[in-house]
Amino acid sequence: MNLRYARKIAGLTQKEVADKIGIDRRTLSTWELGHKPINDYYLHRLAIVLKCPVAYLLGEKNMTIQEHIQLESNHSTLEDIEIIKTFGVLSHENRVALLYAARGFLECQKAQAEEEDEDYEDEYENEFYSAEC
């Protein structure tokens, strides 16, 4: 079953998914672990919320790399998609780990760029005010 993987790709917690489909988080957890079957009603709701085919959630369909890219692009940035294309031979778990690492790296780069912008603005303001005096 690919339920847990699809949820992680969607960037949702168990509680968020459970709330969206109207169930308890523990029920979703038992489904993800494969301890209980999912009835058709909730299976279709999960497919809608997670933006993926029912057959994929059930693990009945082996997806091609193009289909994985499409599934992940429903929730991914352009940077994520390029990473997936480059490292498309990785397992599901390794692909998810790589996406999280890449997102963390990009967030660090963004924070550094924002910090540099703030430093530049502070420097510009200091020059502007000292020129006025």
Side-chain angles (χ1 to χ4, degrees):
M1 174 159 306
N2 296 319
L3 177 55
R4 183 168 191 249
Y5 176 72
R7 176 180 59 78
K8 287 193 174 273
I9 289 297
L12 299 170
T13 65
Q14 285 182 339
K15 176 141 178 47
E16 289 169 330
V17 172
D19 289 347
K20 287 178 186 278
I21 66 169
I23 62 168
D24 185 76
R25 183 204 60 78
R26 291 173 295 197
T27 301
L28 182 63
S29 178
T30 62
W31 292 345
E32 285 186 358
L33 294 170
H35 294 182
K36 287 187 179 179
I38 308 170
N39 72 35
D40 288 344
Y41 173 76
Y42 287 113
L43 194 56
H44 286 90
R45 292 188 67 147
L46 284 166
I48 291 167
V49 168
L50 299 174
K51 299 179 184 175
C52 64
V54 169
Y56 178 74
L57 288 176
L58 293 173
E60 295 173 355
K61 182 176 185 215
N62 291 326
M63 297 179 78
T64 65
I65 187 60
Q66 289 79 18
E67 291 170 317
H68 279 291
I69 291 168
Q70 181 58 45
L71 171 64
E72 292 169 355
S73 69
N74 290 338
H75 307 286
S76 301
T77 65
L78 291 176
E79 292 89 358
D80 292 343
I81 295 168
E82 288 305 311
I83 290 167
I84 293 164
K85 286 179 183 175
T86 303
F87 298 99
V89 296
L90 296 175
S91 68
H92 291 308
E93 290 176 2
N94 287 339
R95 191 174 297 142
V96 170
L98 181 60
L99 283 173
Y100 283 115
R103 285 181 182 146
F105 175 75
L106 292 173
E107 286 174 19
C108 286
Q109 282 187 320
K110 183 179 176 184
Q112 286 175 342
E114 289 172 357
E115 195 174 284
E116 288 172 5
D117 286 345
E118 288 173 10
D119 290 345
Y120 176 77
E121 288 171 7
D122 291 344
E123 186 179 308
Y124 178 77
E125 284 178 9
N126 290 338
E127 286 178 20
F128 178 76
Y129 288 119
S130 63
E132 282 187 349
C133 297

